[in-house]
Amino acid sequence: MRCAHRAGWARRGGEERCHGCGVRRFTSYGAVRPPGLAVATDRTFLVGHHADRAAALNLTRRARYVYAGV
């Protein structure tokens, strides 16, 4: 069944429910994250460079795996 949700919405307790099909839509929730502030890190050029190299190495390994027919 394809519902266009034109029958209206019932609102209760942070959610809305379509009268036609019963689908729920959540309306009052915050972003999911732990309490407190995030820890600031001091990223240097070398840290970013090493991360880029590791990512490139992972991509080449996966490409070899796929194209080798394994």
Side-chain angles (χ1 to χ4, degrees):
M1 180 169 109
R2 296 181 61 102
C3 181
H5 311 303
R6 292 189 182 125
W9 295 88
R11 295 185 175 111
R12 192 182 85 189
E15 73 176 35
E16 295 178 348
R17 187 177 296 266
C18 176
H19 290 299
C21 65
V23 71
R24 293 185 304 170
R25 179 167 59 183
F26 298 100
T27 58
S28 60
Y29 59 92
V32 178
R33 64 180 232 200
L37 297 174
V39 177
T41 59
D42 184 23
R43 299 257 180 203
T44 63
F45 172 76
L46 286 177
V47 171
H49 178 72
H50 291 303
D52 289 343
R53 298 276 298 183
L57 183 61
N58 285 333
L59 288 174
T60 58
R61 285 181 181 160
R62 290 182 186 182
R64 285 185 197 156
Y65 182 78
V66 170
Y67 291 121
V70 175

